[in-house]
């Protein structure tokens, strides 16, 4: 009897599956699609899929998971379960996996780069010089960015001290920043190991920080938990960095304070 290969749907990844084929071997049949919407895949095809490897583009909610009658595993290229309906997956006995160490240095490096660029007003100066060349008159106006701070005078407030938050904390400490954090799930003593300070209330991050950096996984319980109450407590002209999920921050409130 001819054995049927394990069918794996691979979505929104730019590679050519060399690594996946090397790891999984000949017993797996991989179907690569870079489509932006799974609606383009027919239901008959979906019903034959045994497993899914997916990134951050497609959302596998209850309605979509109903199409994958034979699916046993969903694995994400990345951190976070917010694109997958975990309750529905559990009902269907689908195992769900993520990659906790995915992009730890890349994301923390990106957050740090944004902080340094914004603190030194690099984007303002860059735009200023580009506009000057257009007008054939070089302008270098330091008054356009009066809020630059020395790094050793900056208090960085980190919300969420998981892998990425911890990575950022270490890098910020190396640059002589004062680092505080809020994370109710981190046990006492970890702050001493990291040589940073733990605060017990989210509002303390708002009140004490010059820069706030958000590193929190998204779920329904913390939707828009950075809201008006938080921003009412912040210092004037703070730098606010969110390299997590947009749903953590109430967009209308953020826009209101950005306009100020």
């Amino acid at each position: 009897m001819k054995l049927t290969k394990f069918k794996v749907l691979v979505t929104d990844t730019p590679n050519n599956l060399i690594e996946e084929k090397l790891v999984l071997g000949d017993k797996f049949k991989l179907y690569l699609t870079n489509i932006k919407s799974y609606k383009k895949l027919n239901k008959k095809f979906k019903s034959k899929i045994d497993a899914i490897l997916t990134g951050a583009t497609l959302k596998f909610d209850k309605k979509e998971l109903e199409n994958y009658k034979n699916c046993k595993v969903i694995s994400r290229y990345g951190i976070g379960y917010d694109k997958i309906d975990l309750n529905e997956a559990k009902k269907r006995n689908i195992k769900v996996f993520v990659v906790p160490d995915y992009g730890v240095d890349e994301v923390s490096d990106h957050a740090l780069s944004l902080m340094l660029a914004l603190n030194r007003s690099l984007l303002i100066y860059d735009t200023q010089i580009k506009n000057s060349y257009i007008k054939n008159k070089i302008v270098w106006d330091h008054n356009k960015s009066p809020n630059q701070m020395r790094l050793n005078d900056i208090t960085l407030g980190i919300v969420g001290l998981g892998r990425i938050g911890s990575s950022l904390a270490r890098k910020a400490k190396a640059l002589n920043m004062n680092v505080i954090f809020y994370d109710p799930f981190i046990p006492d003593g970890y702050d001493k190991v990291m040589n940073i300070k733990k605060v017990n209330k989210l509002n303390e991050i708002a009140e004490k920080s010059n820069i706030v950096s958000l590193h929190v996984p998204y779920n329904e319980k913390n939707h828009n938990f950075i809201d008006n109450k938080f921003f009412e407590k912040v210092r004037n002209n703070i730098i606010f960095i969110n390299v997590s999920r947009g749903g953590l921050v109430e967009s209308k409130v953020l826009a209101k304070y950005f306009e100020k």
Side-chain angles (χ1 to χ4, degrees):
M1 185 177 74
K2 186 177 179 181
L3 296 177
T4 304
K5 289 186 177 182
F6 201 81
K7 298 179 180 64
V8 183
L9 174 64
V10 186
T11 77
D12 59 288
T13 178
N15 66 41
N16 53 10
L17 303 184
I18 292 176
E19 292 84 359
E20 287 83 354
K21 290 176 181 177
L22 183 65
V23 171
L24 295 175
D26 296 332
K27 294 181 180 180
F28 293 80
K29 176 66 175 178
L30 304 184
Y31 297 91
L32 173 63
T33 174
N34 288 319
I35 59 175
K36 300 300 181 183
S37 172
Y38 40 61
K39 293 179 181 178
K40 294 182 180 179
L41 299 175
N42 65 65
K43 290 185 178 181
K44 185 177 180 180
F45 171 77
K46 294 176 183 179
S47 66
K48 295 180 180 180
I49 292 297
D50 298 298
I52 299 169
L53 282 171
T54 187
T57 302
L58 302 185
K59 186 173 183 178
F60 291 89
D61 54 16
K62 180 180 179 179
K63 184 177 180 181
E64 180 59 20
L65 287 176
E66 289 175 351
N67 297 310
Y68 295 88
K69 309 292 185 183
N70 203 43
C71 186
K72 305 169 185 65
V73 179
I74 299 176
S75 185
R76 271 214 58 220
Y77 290 101
I79 304 172
Y81 297 91
D82 52 295
K83 293 290 185 179
I84 303 167
D85 188 328
L86 295 179
N87 291 327
E88 186 63 23
K90 185 177 181 180
K91 289 179 184 178
R92 297 180 174 279
N93 293 317
I94 299 174
K95 305 294 183 183
V96 181
F97 300 92
V98 296
V99 184
D101 292 327
Y102 182 89
V104 171
D105 274 318
E106 288 79 2
V107 177
S108 59
D109 284 350
H110 188 67
L112 184 62
S113 298
L114 291 172
M115 293 174 195
L116 296 176
L118 291 169
N119 180 56
R120 300 309 303 173
S121 305
L122 297 187
L123 297 177
I124 293 175
Y125 289 144
D126 179 66
T127 302
Q128 190 180 109
I129 291 299
K130 286 178 180 178
N131 290 339
S132 295
Y133 273 106
I134 294 173
K135 297 176 182 178
N136 292 319
K137 183 180 179 181
I138 302 300
V139 177
W140 185 263
D141 187 359
H142 292 278
N143 294 322
K144 290 285 186 180
S145 52
N147 301 305
Q148 295 177 4
M149 298 181 66
R150 291 179 177 176
L151 295 182
N152 58 5
D153 290 331
I154 289 176
T155 295
L156 167 63
I158 297 175
V159 182
L161 203 73
R163 288 173 172 83
I164 295 173
S166 296
S167 177
L168 177 63
R170 287 192 296 269
K171 292 167 184 176
K173 286 293 293 183
L175 294 173
N176 291 323
M177 292 186 197
N178 175 44
V179 179
I180 63 176
F181 76 94
Y182 170 78
D183 192 329
F185 300 102
I186 296 295
D188 292 338
Y190 189 70
D191 50 329
K192 293 180 174 60
V193 173
M194 294 284 292
N195 192 27
I196 58 181
K197 183 179 178 181
K198 182 179 182 179
V199 299
N200 296 316
K201 295 181 179 180
L202 181 61
N203 281 348
E204 291 186 64
I205 293 291
E207 293 167 352
K208 297 177 179 179
S209 303
N210 306 106
I211 301 175
V212 175
S213 192
L214 199 56
H215 302 277
V216 180
Y218 176 78
N219 55 54
E220 292 181 359
K221 293 181 179 179
N222 61 21
H223 177 73
N224 284 350
F225 86 109
I226 302 294
D227 55 13
N228 192 63
K229 292 179 181 179
F230 178 85
F231 285 107
E232 282 180 342
K233 299 288 185 180
V234 301
R235 293 183 178 186
N236 291 329
N237 301 311
I238 70 158
I239 292 172
F240 183 80
I241 305 293
N242 179 14
V243 289
S244 297
R245 297 290 190 268
L248 296 167
V249 186
E250 194 170 348
S251 299
K252 291 182 179 179
V253 174
L254 181 62
K256 181 179 73 175
Y257 282 91
F258 177 77
E259 288 174 358
K260 292 182 178 181

